[in-house]
Amino acid sequence: MQTLDSISPLTRARSELLQARQLMDAALALVPSGQWLERPVPERHRLLFYAGHVDAFDWNLIRSSIDLPSGHPSFDRLFAFGIDPGNGQLPADRPSDWPSMSEIADYTRALRQRIDGVMHDVSPALLHMAIEHRLMHVETFTYLLHNLPASLPSPYRRGQMPLPFPSRISRDDSMVTIPAGLATLGQPRVDDAAFGGRFGWDNEFDSHTVDVPSFAIHRYKVTNARYLPFVEAGARPPHFWRRRGRAWYWRTLTGDIPLPLEWPVYVTQQEATAYARWVGRTLPTEAQFHRAAFGTPTGEERFYPWGDDPPTPSHGNFNGRRQDPVSVASTPLGDSAFGVAQLVGNGWEWTSTTFAPFPGFRAHPSYPGYSAPFFDGDHFVLKGGSPVTAARFLRRSFRNWFRSNYPYVYATFRCVEP
Ligand SMILES: [Fe+2]
């Protein structure tokens, strides 16, 4: 009988790529008819770009390692890369600049056939790059759809809505003391021959340790209930909040619901920093996050907050089982060794750390533009993962990053004090 361990890294990577295709295809299938040319987030491409991009990316990546003639050079370039413009530089393309959906479907069908024909010659590391890139775009695409003017059909049945009443948890502001200790950031380098199914992006190397002095950190992510007084004191309401009369609502992917007070608040890094200042605290650094999440009282470090076991649904709200957050206290089996809740899942967590290379960083030759263009001082590190983040991104070394004023991503925060 074939056990999981006896499956070769290549076989496993191939089946994971097929699963990732299914997930992204399902996300693309949510686009309401007639809306492919919509651009729900002004700083990103129109929706139809993503229908061509994920397969064009795989194709361009594989062609970088195997010499293959292109069947459609202009589409290979058109769908090669996403965009992340700086302030005042929004894209100005017109609908007529784009091919039809049927042309895109023909293009991607041909690409998949050609990719599947050469997959046995592709290194597992490159396949994992393709898999993770596609899974990242499942999340991107979900939050783009979240910004369409009309909501998608609701998954909530009557009586299943989270209740908008304040509770002890929704107002819990308790801090947990983390003793001084070492945090290991990044992961050790392995060459392709020793790959063994492990994967890391260029910005996850080299592994190094940071000496972190003692600090205190919020046990729970900051909730909508705790953020509300900040808004009532004059702060701008978060992107996902709506006001009707005197009542606040939360815009889910599928429509507005009364503001769930026990859910974490989704904010920009600038809003999170302003709130922290307002309560006399700061955001954690990337190293402080690591220490709170993966450190232990005895000094060892874990792969995940709860230990070294792979993630399961009882550890947190991730992997797309639901699109919305849950209460900040609802997954205690995922708590860290120090008793800090939900350090992975239920919303990425902003840090105060500027996205920058680790010592020994080398851009990956097959995708040199993954990280390096964003080492510009304008992007900040997020850790953890959101409800729609694939479980494989919960690994300790994974780093996400966005501009400090980007409001569309499912990003939460908690505060620290010295
Ligand atoms: Fe991409």
Side-chain angles (χ1 to χ4, degrees):
M1 197 181 97
Q2 206 175 36
T3 64
L4 205 58
D5 287 342
S6 69
I7 299 173
S8 77
L10 181 60
T11 306
R12 195 181 301 181
R14 287 167 67 173
S15 86
E16 285 174 350
L17 179 59
L18 297 181
Q19 284 170 19
R21 280 183 186 165
Q22 285 175 3
L23 284 171
M24 185 64 189
D25 291 350
L28 292 166
L30 293 174
V31 175
S33 66
Q35 301 204 23
W36 281 104
L37 283 163
E38 292 293 321
R39 189 200 301 281
V41 168
E43 296 91 339
R44 293 292 182 265
H45 274 311
R46 299 171 191 278
L47 292 176
L48 89 173
F49 165 80
Y50 297 89
H53 171 57
V54 282
D55 290 302
F57 176 89
D58 293 1
W59 171 247
N60 288 330
L61 188 67
I62 286 167
R63 285 179 60 217
S64 74
S65 68
I66 305 174
D67 192 19
L68 292 167
S70 169
H72 208 317
S74 65
F75 277 21
D76 293 350
R77 280 191 302 275
L78 181 66
F79 291 107
F81 297 113
I83 49 172
D84 179 27
N87 286 341
Q89 300 168 347
L90 294 179
D93 58 274
R94 292 159 304 178
S96 58
D97 296 337
W98 294 91
S100 69
M101 284 304 294
S102 71
E103 287 173 293
I104 297 174
D106 290 346
Y107 170 65
T108 58
R109 197 177 308 115
L111 287 188
R112 286 189 189 187
Q113 268 176 11
R114 298 185 75 185
I115 290 168
D116 292 350
V118 297
M119 224 192 273
H120 49 272
D121 292 327
V122 180
S123 84
L126 279 195
L127 284 182
H128 279 266
M129 215 176 254
I131 293 160
E132 295 212 347
H133 172 263
R134 192 174 290 251
L135 292 174
M136 283 175 201
H137 276 309
V138 173
E139 178 157 1
T140 314
F141 206 72
T142 305
Y143 79 69
L144 292 184
L145 292 177
H146 206 142
N147 276 278
L148 280 172
S151 299
L152 304 179
S154 172
Y156 290 107
R157 289 194 293 274
R158 189 185 290 272
Q160 284 190 326
M161 294 276 190
L163 295 175
F165 304 125
S167 63
R168 185 182 61 76
I169 291 298
S170 72
R171 291 173 171 157
D172 190 315
D173 191 48
S174 56
M175 306 289 281
V176 176
T177 300
I178 311 294
L182 291 176
T184 304
L185 277 64
Q187 58 166 298
R189 250 178 228 285
V190 288
D191 58 30
D192 271 5
F195 180 70
R198 292 179 51 202
F199 172 74
W201 292 94
D202 54 7
N203 66 55
E204 294 174 55
F205 303 100
D206 283 344
S207 172
H208 60 288
T209 55
V210 179
D211 219 336
V212 185
S214 174
F215 63 100
I217 188 166
H218 272 140
R219 182 178 303 277
Y220 300 113
K221 296 174 189 287
V222 174
T223 60
N224 287 318
R226 282 157 61 199
Y227 201 81
L228 189 55
F230 187 46
V231 172
E232 287 168 343
R236 194 177 61 177
H239 175 72
F240 291 89
W241 290 21
R242 296 284 181 278
R243 182 161 207 164
R244 280 195 229 137
R246 292 168 59 96
W248 286 103
Y249 290 79
W250 202 87
R251 185 167 188 220
T252 73
L253 187 66
T254 54
D256 294 353
I257 61 173
L259 187 68
L261 293 175
E262 282 196 13
W263 287 9
V265 64
Y266 285 169
V267 288
T268 66
Q269 200 248 15
Q270 289 177 4
E271 289 165 339
T273 304
Y275 175 92
R277 197 178 303 124
W278 190 64
V279 297
R281 292 166 173 153
T282 60
L283 295 188
T285 63
E286 185 177 10
Q288 284 176 323
F289 180 97
H290 271 256
R291 187 77 193 119
F294 310 112
T296 63
T298 47
E300 301 96 55
E301 288 178 284
R302 298 170 163 186
F303 288 130
Y304 301 103
W306 55 85
D308 294 345
D309 294 339
T312 66
S314 59
H315 291 127
N317 181 22
F318 45 75
N319 221 21
R321 285 189 313 281
R322 53 183 275 132
Q323 283 146 348
D324 293 323
V326 292
S327 163
V328 293
S330 66
T331 51
L333 292 179
D335 287 3
S336 79
F338 294 116
V340 183
Q342 289 181 356
L343 285 152
V344 303
N346 215 26
W348 292 97
E349 293 202 12
W350 287 111
T351 72
S352 61
T353 299
T354 308
F355 184 52
F358 286 160
F361 170 85
R362 296 199 300 264
H364 197 290
S366 297
Y367 188 7
Y370 178 69
S371 309
F374 306 98
F375 297 149
D376 57 4
D378 292 334
H379 293 78
F380 289 83
V381 173
L382 299 95
K383 295 289 293 183
S386 86
V388 292
T389 303
R392 58 186 293 148
F393 298 120
L394 307 183
R395 65 174 176 267
R396 188 170 79 191
S397 56
F398 187 78
R399 312 168 81 198
N400 198 354
W401 67 93
F402 281 98
R403 293 181 187 275
S404 62
N405 61 351
Y406 193 68
Y408 310 103
V409 66
Y410 302 143
T412 64
F413 73 109
R414 69 184 83 217
C415 305
V416 297
E417 57 189 25

